[in-house]
Amino acid sequence: MYTTYKLPFLLKNSSYHVLKTKRYSTINLINMATIIDGKNIAKTIRDQIREDIIQFKKKYSGFKPHLSIIQVGSREDSAVYVRQKERACKEAGIEFSLQKKDEFITEQELIKSIRDLNDDLSTHGLLVQLPLPKHINESRVTENIDPKKDVDGFHPNNIGNLSKRNSDTLFLPCTPKGILELLKQIGIEISGKRAVVVGRSDIVGFPVFTLLSRNDATVTLCHSKTRNLPEIIKTADILVVAIGKAEYVKGDWIKPGAIVIDVGTNSIEDSTKKSGIRWVGDVEFSTASKVASHITPVPGGVGPMTVAMLLQNTVESAKRFLKENIERKVSPLHLKRLDPVPSDIDIAMSQTPKSIKLLAQELGLALNEYELYGNTKAKVNFPVLERLKSRKNGKCIVVTGITPTPLGEGKSTTVIGITQALGSHLNKRVFACVRQPSQGPTFGIKGGAAGGGYSQVIPMDEFNLHLTGDIHAVTAANNLLAAAIDARIFHENTQTDTALFNRLCPSIKGVRNFSPVMLKRLKKFGIDKNNPEDLTSEEINKFVRLDINPNSITWNRVIDTNDRFLRRITIGQNETEKGQTRQTGFDISVASECMAVLALSTSLADMRERLGRMVVATNKGGNELITADDLGVGGALTVLMKDSIRPNLMQTLEGNPVFVHAGPFANIAHGNSSILADKIALKLVGSECDEKGNLIGEEGYVVTEAGFGADIGMEKFFNIKCRTSELVPDAVVLVATVRALKMHGGGPSVMPGKPLHETYLKENLELLEKGCDNLVKHIENARKYGLPVVVAINQFTTDTEAELSLIRKISTEAGAIDAVPATHWALGGAGAIELGKAIIKATNEKQEFKFLYDIEKSIVEKIEIIAKEMYGADGIELSELAKDKVKLYTQQGFTNLPICMAKTHLSLSHNPNLKGVPKGFIVPVRDIKASIGAGFLYPLLGEMQTMPGLPTRPCFFDVDLDPETGRVYGLF
């Protein structure tokens, strides 16, 4: 097929015809060179790009290649080039955005804009239109573009890799790439040819020289200072000219039959043109076209190819980002295991963590989606949820346990072991979510909670100590509220209504104003007034008088230390408090409702609302609940905790990602890590979907821990956390140990700090079988929620094959998918591979998740359901105080809140001395308290110590520091 083209740069009477070369039409002038029509070739390439994008979108609905350009100043030539690129993008189906900057922008301002686009994961290609104003260093600007988005190919990394023989560059510079594409499309064999490149710029000359060399041409690089340039040019089979001088190369310099690629674009005066100029190349076309076999015209030759290659690079970049986004490979760390297993801190200190920035990048996080706290910790910004909202969640695995001994069953260790097995050995995307430990038990009797042996979170010392200060923020917020309560009582007792009003709403330059939190209190009483001057004396009284009943205050101060002597204190003893003393006490920081709020908040706005509605007391009339917002402090609490709401990113010993976030008590609170940590983790390991909703790639897994036994942490995870988060778990892992099951079978008591009785060190199948009743009850409890169960047997060296087989037999008969021994403490992830496989199988089982109770049932009914179904009780018995609380909360409209039972973790019952599966008992409910901010009621089934005490020999005896190296030792 022949096509005729008008060539404005030819003489009017020139005759020409078209020859078909390969797939593209080229124009062959009689007695002249074949013209390489870059415009037509570029159009075909752009059409191919458009079709490629259409086909890709059919498989990946979220595939949207995006080119961003920054243009500085108002140069007309730059504006023309930008418009050409914008038009080409739109024709090809590539999203385009342009940022126009004032020509006087500072270099730092420009670089900040570049870095913002670097962080924008929706931008795949980024370029700054050159040239730039003289006050801006182009090299520094180019160096700040992310090499992975440098679709112009000008970044030193890309140029540098281009020059290395055995290195691949992410992007080839567009013009040199377009030149090679032209040669390819007209069927020119480059290998073995002699090529000459005239011009040595970083943009064209040098990259073309390198690309031709890589394609096995013998290349000479020349420039305007090269001696005997015409003679050298005469040797060229392929001539590329990019010297920037109009019609510099003459026809008699060119070897007959050579291929000439003219990159130059120069304007010269021409009175015959309406514009007064015409465009010519660096080669004198009129003479060169009579000698060469092929030649590119100006315009219409290399220029259109440059734009086409820019689009091609952008699409390649988008595909690369998509591939990385789908795969999200996390590189494992190698474990150097020792036998016998060293102490936890020695193991942790012997491993070199990967940079947390690298881990964040492996997870697919943009720089603006996390904030580094040193080299091993980072906070992740929860707006990442909005970016990933279309991604399907990974699978959620809840790790809980049987009723533990005081030594614990190793749930945290098992969580990390499973994570390491799935990620480092089974090549699955996986995330662990664990609570942040309190410093109370760390320095008290329990020790740290980073896992143990070769299944730990690292750095272990930072994990167990201050981390990023979240617990300190909770402490500060809690104590600010405590101070506000007593200060308000003091001021109300010592001032008139008028004095209080004048101080709460002071006149500043003759104007009074309500703060926003004050308007909330007015609204509470139905007072719809915004001007303090409009309040009546009765309304002022309601506004300023909280009239707190000191005996009703439920809000204690907190400290993150086990200090038994703060459990009950007297405050206000200084004479400045005018005799206003009262008894109060301290809780440990993680027992604060602020911590429970942190764990259950779904956003910053949600946390602000929850903190504000926390109830701290009632008024003296008993008809009004006093909240943090009534005290005017809700906003300040949120400010103190604004950073703590962001989950903390750390890693396992084998380099797998871990979120360490929130640490609410598992008895008076719900004992689970944060909703936001789970939600973000589920998205980060989740899968992209095609337009039909089919998964692209394998699903990932989130392994999240529930505190204490399944009767406490798991029950609260499902009935409280899942209601708030709307997350649906996929499987339950129930951790058990032979020694704990023997204890439930009637074995001797187990106490921290005391050697294990020999019963636990020798095989005893009879005792074990009897104790497995506790395991069976927990399996049955988990199955009531419609979920598959895997029993993880945390194996010790003293466990026998017969004991392990017995546990497996009893577990599977009780309805578990499997019961798998795991040696992750001694072997790391390698010791939990079979457990990991069993969990994967379980998550593929049919599950019909359901709650234990209808949230609309009465308070008493919900308590009774939990006691009977989870604990095996015959019923419940409410004290008179508990009955009064039921009546009060019903009147206040709190009947539709979930129940958070506060009971011992050492028994299925309320009595810690009743082991195994107690029968025939009634659960006494001595009191019911309200965590309105957290969003639950918590019945007290016994005396709950919210401030632990220190033992005779606390863990802090072993903790110390090497003053020369700064290394911590002695943490367990």
Side-chain angles (χ1 to χ4, degrees):
M1 177 180 179
Y2 292 86
T3 309
T4 301
Y5 296 88
K6 291 183 179 181
L7 304 178
F9 47 86
L10 296 178
L11 296 175
K12 291 181 180 180
N13 296 325
S14 295
S15 60
Y16 56 89
H17 65 276
V18 175
L19 298 177
K20 187 77 172 179
T21 304
K22 207 174 179 183
R23 289 183 299 161
Y24 299 102
S25 299
T26 58
I27 300 171
N28 184 30
L29 301 171
I30 297 176
N31 299 321
M32 297 182 72
T34 298
I35 293 181
I36 305 170
D37 190 351
K39 185 176 181 181
N40 193 38
I41 294 173
K43 181 181 182 303
T44 304
I45 292 172
R46 294 200 306 271
D47 290 344
Q48 291 172 342
I49 290 171
R50 182 176 64 252
E51 182 61 27
D52 189 27
I53 292 172
I54 290 171
Q55 294 303 319
F56 232 73
K57 281 186 174 181
K58 287 181 179 179
K59 187 174 182 182
Y60 307 103
S61 57
F63 182 68
K64 296 178 182 178
H66 182 186
L67 174 65
S68 293
I69 295 180
I70 298 177
Q71 178 186 348
V72 180
S74 56
R75 285 179 56 124
E76 182 56 32
D77 56 346
S78 291
V80 169
Y81 295 142
V82 169
R83 286 196 294 270
Q84 289 175 349
K85 294 167 185 174
E86 180 178 11
R87 185 166 58 250
C89 282
K90 290 181 178 178
E91 289 175 358
I94 294 173
E95 294 192 4
F96 177 89
S97 59
L98 172 64
Q99 290 188 16
K100 290 186 176 182
K101 305 294 182 181
D102 187 272
E103 63 179 318
F104 300 109
I105 188 175
T106 67
E107 186 174 298
Q108 286 306 310
E109 289 173 333
L110 177 56
I111 288 173
K112 183 184 182 304
S113 296
I114 291 170
R115 289 175 177 171
D116 288 344
L117 287 172
N118 285 342
D119 294 344
D120 180 8
L121 294 182
S122 69
T123 293
H124 307 110
L126 167 60
L127 65 90
V128 177
Q129 186 65 43
L130 303 178
L132 294 172
K134 292 181 179 180
H135 70 279
I136 295 177
N137 185 305
E138 289 187 357
S139 294
R140 278 198 292 270
V141 168
T142 302
E143 289 168 4
N144 274 280
I145 295 175
D146 185 346
K148 294 174 68 174
K149 297 187 177 185
D150 172 41
V151 287
D152 253 344
F154 294 163
H155 192 280
N157 283 13
N158 287 319
I159 292 293
N161 283 327
L162 180 63
S163 67
K164 297 178 182 178
R165 182 174 176 82
N166 295 318
S167 295
D168 291 325
T169 183
L170 289 171
F171 298 104
L172 295 175
C174 297
T175 300
K177 183 179 181 182
I179 290 169
L180 257 70
E181 188 66 25
L182 283 176
L183 295 173
K184 174 185 173 184
Q185 296 297 350
I186 64 172
I188 301 300
E189 178 65 42
I190 298 174
S191 178
K193 294 287 194 306
R194 182 176 292 277
V196 174
V197 179
V198 183
R200 52 183 171 177
S201 71
D202 290 335
I203 296 175
V204 180
F206 175 74
V208 169
F209 167 83
T210 305
L211 288 175
L212 289 170
S213 298
R214 283 190 168 197
N215 283 271
D216 299 322
T218 302
V219 191
T220 303
L221 182 63
C222 303
H223 46 82
S224 60
K225 300 292 191 296
T226 301
R227 294 181 180 178
N228 303 319
L229 184 58
E231 287 83 350
I232 297 173
I233 290 175
K234 197 81 171 180
T235 67
D237 300 315
I238 300 173
L239 175 64
V240 180
V241 185
I243 201 168
K245 295 185 178 183
E247 300 184 324
Y248 180 74
V249 175
K250 310 302 180 183
D252 57 5
W253 297 9
I254 298 171
K255 177 182 179 179
I259 297 100
V260 178
I261 307 295
D262 189 353
V263 185
T265 305
N266 310 283
S267 62
I268 62 174
E269 292 183 3
D270 187 341
S271 60
T272 66
K273 300 293 182 182
K274 185 176 180 180
S275 62
I277 61 168
R278 65 186 172 93
W279 296 94
V280 299
D282 291 350
V283 177
E284 189 177 69
F285 183 85
S286 60
T287 57
S289 60
K290 295 176 182 179
V291 181
S293 64
H294 295 76
I295 190 169
T296 56
V298 178
V302 175
M305 291 298 295
T306 299
V307 175
M309 295 302 102
L310 176 66
L311 304 187
Q312 198 173 79
N313 280 352
T314 302
V315 174
E316 287 175 1
S317 177
K319 288 180 178 179
R320 187 182 296 119
F321 271 93
L322 178 63
K323 183 174 183 290
E324 292 176 353
N325 187 44
I326 291 172
E327 293 179 349
R328 300 191 299 284
K329 295 289 186 182
V330 173
S331 56
L333 295 176
H334 177 67
L335 276 184
K336 296 178 181 178
R337 299 194 302 261
L338 298 176
D339 189 12
V341 177
S343 70
D344 290 350
I345 189 66
D346 285 341
I347 292 172
M349 290 295 181
S350 69
Q351 180 66 291
T352 302
K354 70 174 77 170
S355 162
I356 204 69
K357 182 177 182 181
L358 172 61
L359 180 58
Q361 291 170 346
E362 289 176 336
L363 292 170
L365 291 168
L367 282 171
N368 62 348
E369 291 178 334
Y370 62 92
E371 181 181 355
L372 298 175
Y373 278 63
N375 194 47
T376 55
K377 307 184 295 293
K379 276 196 167 293
V380 175
N381 301 325
F382 48 84
V384 69
L385 286 170
E386 177 63 24
R387 176 174 68 83
L388 300 179
K389 63 183 178 182
S390 63
R391 185 181 288 176
K392 184 179 178 182
N393 286 347
K395 292 188 173 181
C396 180
I397 301 159
V398 182
V399 178
T400 184
I402 63 169
T403 304
T405 70
L407 301 179
E409 299 315 292
K411 288 195 309 299
S412 298
T413 305
T414 303
V415 166
I416 304 307
I418 292 169
T419 301
Q420 292 179 162
L422 291 174
S424 299
H425 301 273
L426 296 173
N427 299 315
K428 304 296 184 182
R429 287 196 302 272
V430 64
F431 225 115
C433 291
V434 297
R435 288 178 294 167
Q436 180 182 349
S438 165
Q439 289 178 183
T442 296
F443 290 117
I445 194 168
K446 182 176 181 293
Y454 286 103
S455 293
Q456 295 186 57
V457 181
I458 56 172
M460 183 261 238
D461 55 333
E462 296 181 32
F463 175 97
N464 283 305
L465 301 177
H466 305 281
L467 199 58
T468 57
D470 292 350
I471 293 180
H472 299 316
V474 166
T475 303
N478 183 100
N479 292 344
L480 177 62
L481 179 51
I485 295 168
D486 290 302
R488 187 59 175 261
I489 293 173
F490 174 82
H491 291 304
E492 287 190 25
N493 286 342
T494 56
Q495 297 179 50
T496 64
D497 287 357
T498 300
L500 282 169
F501 187 63
N502 288 339
R503 286 174 171 82
L504 289 170
C505 297
S507 177
I508 301 174
K509 296 182 179 180
V511 178
R512 294 180 189 265
N513 285 299
F514 289 124
S515 63
V517 73
M518 291 177 175
L519 294 173
K520 291 181 72 172
R521 176 159 176 79
L522 290 171
K523 187 176 180 181
K524 184 175 181 179
F525 295 111
I527 301 172
D528 188 19
K529 296 179 179 179
N530 297 323
N531 186 349
E533 304 294 353
D534 294 339
L535 264 61
T536 66
S537 57
E538 183 181 355
E539 290 170 340
I540 287 174
N541 176 266
K542 287 183 177 181
F543 172 67
V544 302
R545 293 283 169 192
L546 302 185
D547 203 22
I548 296 171
N549 178 359
N551 295 325
S552 72
I553 296 172
T554 57
W555 198 262
N556 281 351
R557 287 159 173 80
V558 299
I559 186 172
D560 196 31
T561 304
N562 288 359
D563 192 344
R564 68 174 67 244
F565 289 96
L566 292 178
R567 290 171 178 168
R568 181 59 54 191
I569 63 171
T570 302
I571 61 172
Q573 293 191 2
N574 197 60
E575 60 184 21
T576 54
E577 276 57 73
K578 302 181 180 180
Q580 296 188 42
T581 62
R582 72 177 181 91
Q583 279 202 337
T584 181
F586 272 78
D587 299 326
I588 197 161
S589 295
V590 291
S592 169
E593 187 178 350
C594 291
M595 178 61 83
V597 165
L598 174 66
L600 289 169
S601 294
T602 57
S603 67
L604 192 59
D606 183 43
M607 185 172 76
R608 169 64 185 90
E609 180 62 28
R610 288 173 179 272
L611 290 172
R613 69 173 185 242
M614 292 188 302
V615 173
V616 298
T618 60
N619 67 349
K620 291 176 181 176
N623 59 351
E624 182 190 345
L625 298 178
I626 307 301
T627 68
D629 272 346
D630 287 324
L631 287 154
V633 74
L637 304 184
T638 310
V639 170
L640 285 170
M641 293 176 59
K642 67 180 177 63
D643 291 325
S644 62
I645 193 174
R646 298 180 294 159
N648 304 298
L649 177 63
M650 296 185 77
Q651 62 191 284
T652 71
L653 279 166
E654 297 187 37
N656 316 105
V658 181
F659 272 143
V660 184
H661 198 216
F665 252 31
N667 43 23
I668 67 165
H670 65 293
N672 289 274
S673 64
S674 76
I675 284 175
L676 281 170
D678 283 359
K679 281 193 166 186
I680 295 173
L682 286 164
K683 289 298 182 186
L684 289 175
V685 302
S687 301
E688 302 294 338
C689 298
D690 62 21
E691 61 181 5
K692 295 180 180 179
N694 299 315
L695 292 181
I696 300 169
E698 290 189 1
E699 292 177 296
Y701 301 85
V702 169
V703 186
T704 185
E705 179 187 2
F708 290 149
D711 54 318
I712 300 179
M714 183 194 73
E715 183 269 311
K716 295 174 182 180
F717 183 97
F718 294 150
N719 291 311
I720 299 175
K721 188 175 180 182
C722 288
R723 286 185 198 273
T724 303
S725 67
E726 299 181 346
L727 294 174
V728 177
D730 294 278
V732 172
V733 174
L734 192 62
V735 181
T737 58
V738 169
R739 70 185 183 191
L741 292 171
K742 287 180 178 178
M743 181 197 71
H744 285 295
S749 63
V750 176
M751 296 293 293
K754 291 185 178 181
L756 281 173
H757 191 275
E758 64 176 7
T759 302
Y760 300 108
L761 305 177
K762 295 179 180 180
E763 183 176 292
N764 188 328
L765 297 180
E766 182 181 354
L767 196 64
L768 177 63
E769 184 172 11
K770 186 177 179 183
C772 279
D773 288 351
N774 184 270
L775 172 61
V776 168
K777 173 59 178 170
H778 284 296
I779 293 172
E780 292 173 350
N781 282 355
R783 296 291 294 147
K784 288 176 181 177
Y785 295 92
L787 297 176
V789 179
V790 174
V791 175
I793 309 171
N794 189 9
Q795 187 175 348
F796 289 81
T797 55
T798 53
D799 300 342
T800 68
E801 286 298 322
E803 289 173 328
L804 299 175
S805 296
L806 177 61
I807 294 173
R808 185 179 189 189
K809 176 179 178 293
I810 292 173
S811 297
T812 53
E813 288 175 351
I817 298 294
D818 205 346
V820 185
T823 53
H824 43 276
W825 179 82
L827 300 178
I833 291 174
E834 294 307 314
L835 176 58
K837 290 178 180 178
I839 291 168
I840 292 171
K841 179 183 176 183
T843 61
N844 293 323
E845 294 284 324
K846 182 180 180 181
Q847 53 94 352
E848 297 178 355
F849 178 68
K850 54 190 175 184
F851 296 115
L852 185 66
Y853 52 79
D854 181 350
I855 198 70
E856 298 301 327
K857 286 184 177 294
S858 71
I859 296 171
V860 173
E861 285 177 305
K862 286 181 284 194
I863 296 172
E864 190 170 40
I865 289 171
I866 295 172
K868 288 182 175 181
E869 296 294 326
M870 290 291 101
Y871 312 154
D874 288 345
I876 62 173
E877 183 178 3
L878 274 66
S879 69
E880 290 304 314
L881 175 61
K883 291 176 183 177
D884 290 342
K885 291 292 186 69
V886 168
K887 183 178 179 181
L888 172 65
Y889 297 144
T890 302
Q891 290 173 345
Q892 294 289 341
F894 297 144
T895 54
N896 63 343
L897 292 179
I899 301 299
C900 184
M901 301 283 260
K903 80 172 192 74
T904 179
H905 62 289
L906 297 175
S907 171
L908 275 166
S909 73
H910 61 284
N911 184 347
N913 297 316
L914 299 179
K915 305 300 182 183
V917 183
K919 301 289 184 182
F921 64 96
I922 300 294
V923 173
V925 181
R926 68 175 182 84
D927 194 3
I928 303 174
K929 295 189 177 182
S931 288
I932 304 304
F936 53 71
L937 302 177
Y938 62 98
L940 301 176
L941 310 188
E943 291 296 329
M944 290 292 107
Q945 286 294 353
T946 53
M947 170 56 80
L950 290 173
T952 305
R953 191 190 187 284
C955 293
F956 62 62
F957 273 93
D958 300 302
V959 179
D960 213 323
L961 184 80
D962 185 325
E964 293 186 4
T965 65
R967 174 174 170 168
V968 174
Y969 59 86
L971 281 174
F972 296 98

